[in-house]
Amino acid sequence: MTVRVAVVGGGVTGLTAAYTLRRELGADAVIDVFEADHRPGGLLCTREVGAARLDVGAEAFIVRRPEALALVRELGLGDLVVSPGPLRPALWSGGRLHPLPVPAVMGIPGSAAVLGDLVDDADRTLIDDEPTRSLDWTPGAPVSVGALVRDRFGDAAVARSVDPMLGGVYSALADDLGVAETMPALAKALDAGAPSLTAAVGSLTAASAAVSGPVFGTLRGGYRTLTNALVRASDARMLADSPVTGVRTVPGGYAVESPTGSGEGEYGAVVVAVPPWHAADVLDTAALETAAILGRVRPAGSAVVGCVLAPGAAMPEQSGILVATDAGMRSKAVTLSTRKWPHLAESGPPTLRVSFGRLGEPVTVDDQTLVSWAVDDLAEYFGAAGLPAPTIDDVVVQRWPEGLPHYAPGHLAAMTDAQRALPEGVALAGAAFDGVGVPACIGSARRAAARVVAYLTAE
């Protein structure tokens, strides 16, 4: 009998799962990828902006995690990997640009000195005296980053260093994010008995300093290059504009329900690679307990305004700007794309991205207002760098109303429970299960595919 597998979701996770299934199950397997949007890729979205091509979702991957780099090389794209230049981001606070605190772990400083004048004398004393104060840490307990850092280092360190870093990665504030969920290495150091937050951060920054080479990478041509290669290599049937409303158990496998009528027949197994709140709806018949857990995960939305500046426009001498949450600005970050990525400066006009939105702070204004906010904030940031307000030649707005899952304290334990309750032949994958970054999604997809292959090939 021909093996048939359905993949629900055509983002990088679903595409990687389909590609891995093809490699493992062979050319005769039927692999259908159901995608609700008109295009595959999900948050890997490359848009044309005037004469430029700009990633307006994820823009880079961590090269120190092996999954993304390994996949890129498998697909024959290794020669297209590029690294960022030497410039670092600045931090916006108090109406001016500050150096980004270094060394730090996701904005948690190694000492008061690295925060410079982001904090006052009272905060500096609190931070420097932290190793002398008893640390109340229970291994395995669900603790938010904000609660931990605020208690040990004060409010200013959270708003002006930690929040700006976490906001760019998770679209949420430190008070809403779990330590174990977003900084597992830090949680592990504290679980192992680090006597203070300062000591735990110091051990991690020392280990990081011992590793050479770039931290991030991306692809020439944008992430569209990767998604196109995955579509080709998977040789799956791509069913665009085909949302899945349910998966039912039938004799010998599963039936996938889509209002478009896409897909034919039944499947021996299913990989569900959509955000957890949608996966809850898909699985509320086939896996009720799993669906109940997934349905409690909240989405964190955001929006990106991608801008092409006039040729030759000057930009600050940083790779980007992270914005303190007590700074009174509407934007949360700016990526100075052609400063950050030298290959973009080689082949196109100056480009940048302005980011908005966090968990509980949806971007509900119209596109024109969002662009106006971007223009106003850029004028302030550029002015602080001694530059005129940038002239914007072209602009694109990309909204992600349900962009990322909320990594609350206890989130990962809940996701483990959700996967444990799955029936055989069904696998979950995506940004909710092992981190929101591209490498984590790829690793999640590989594991989901392996679960399905093991089920289908079991004697």
Side-chain angles (χ1 to χ4, degrees):
M1 294 180 62
T2 301
V3 174
R4 296 173 56 86
V5 183
V7 177
V8 182
V12 67
T13 306
L15 295 177
T16 301
Y19 161 72
T20 306
L21 289 166
R22 175 65 65 204
R23 284 171 56 98
E24 296 298 321
L25 297 176
D28 292 336
V30 173
I31 302 170
D32 288 347
V33 177
F34 293 79
E35 169 54 44
D37 202 354
H38 68 280
R39 62 162 188 88
L43 268 70
L44 302 193
C45 179
T46 308
R47 299 277 298 272
E48 309 296 335
V49 192
R53 179 179 287 184
L54 191 63
D55 280 322
V56 290
E59 62 147 3
F61 56 85
I62 298 175
V63 298
R64 292 181 182 178
R65 282 194 62 153
E67 299 94 336
L69 201 55
L71 176 63
V72 165
R73 288 170 174 165
E74 277 181 33
L75 294 169
L77 305 176
D79 291 344
L80 299 181
V81 176
V82 290
S83 301
L87 297 178
R88 295 187 57 81
L91 199 149
W92 178 267
S93 179
R96 63 190 185 88
L97 298 169
H98 302 255
L100 193 71
V102 176
V105 174
M106 291 297 286
I108 304 177
S111 68
V114 305
L115 293 174
D117 55 5
L118 288 168
V119 295
D120 60 22
D121 289 342
D123 290 318
R124 277 188 281 274
T125 299
L126 179 69
I127 295 168
D128 286 337
D129 288 349
E130 190 267 341
T132 68
R133 305 197 312 271
S134 175
L135 176 64
D136 182 15
W137 176 265
T138 302
V143 178
S144 78
V145 177
L148 174 65
V149 180
R150 201 179 305 282
D151 175 61
R152 308 304 294 179
F153 289 166
D155 295 342
V158 174
R160 299 170 193 169
S161 189
V162 183
D163 274 343
M165 289 293 295
L166 290 175
V169 177
Y170 294 95
S171 287
L173 300 178
D175 288 329
D176 297 316
L177 297 167
V179 177
E181 283 68 25
T182 60
M183 305 183 200
L186 179 65
K188 184 177 180 180
L190 293 168
D191 287 349
S196 65
L197 181 57
T198 300
V201 169
S203 67
L204 298 183
T205 56
S208 178
V211 180
S212 60
V215 177
F216 297 102
T218 194
L219 294 171
R220 290 185 181 272
Y223 266 130
R224 183 185 301 171
T225 305
L226 175 60
T227 56
N228 288 346
L230 283 169
V231 169
R232 290 192 301 270
S234 71
D235 194 25
R237 183 166 62 149
M238 303 301 301
L239 303 172
D241 297 309
S242 299
V244 171
T245 54
V247 171
R248 290 184 293 108
T249 303
V250 295
Y254 299 91
V256 174
E257 299 172 347
S258 174
T260 64
S262 300
E264 297 177 358
E266 298 165 356
Y267 298 92
V270 181
V271 174
V272 179
V274 292
W277 43 91
H278 293 308
D281 294 334
V282 170
L283 294 172
D284 64 357
T285 298
L288 184 59
E289 182 180 348
T290 295
I293 298 171
L294 296 177
R296 292 193 284 270
V297 182
R298 298 168 61 196
S302 61
V304 172
V305 178
C307 303
V308 174
L309 307 188
M315 287 198 289
E317 290 292 330
Q318 283 91 23
S319 62
I321 300 166
L322 305 178
V323 182
T325 50
D326 63 356
M329 306 300 286
R330 291 189 174 98
S331 55
K332 65 180 181 183
V334 176
T335 304
L336 300 169
S337 303
T338 43
R339 288 288 196 208
K340 181 174 182 178
W341 301 103
H343 73 284
L344 296 179
E346 296 169 2
S347 57
T351 58
L352 57 81
R353 306 170 3 143
V354 187
S355 300
F356 298 86
R358 298 183 183 88
L359 178 75
E361 301 173 12
V363 184
T364 57
V365 298
D366 58 79
D367 287 1
Q368 184 177 356
T369 300
L370 199 60
V371 171
S372 176
W373 288 357
V375 169
D376 290 346
D377 284 7
L378 287 171
E380 286 209 44
Y381 302 145
F382 277 53
L387 300 173
T391 299
I392 298 175
D393 279 358
D394 290 284
V395 66
V396 64
V397 175
Q398 178 67 51
R399 295 175 182 274
W400 303 108
E402 297 179 336
L404 296 174
H406 173 210
Y407 269 54
H411 170 82
L412 291 180
M415 293 303 97
T416 298
D417 291 341
Q419 296 196 76
R420 188 179 294 122
L422 285 170
E424 290 186 319
V426 177
L428 281 167
F433 301 101
D434 187 34
V436 299
V438 172
C441 289
I442 291 169
S444 175
R446 302 275 209 186
R447 288 188 291 276
R451 171 184 168 92
V452 162
V453 170
Y455 170 73
L456 291 172
T457 57
E459 295 184 358

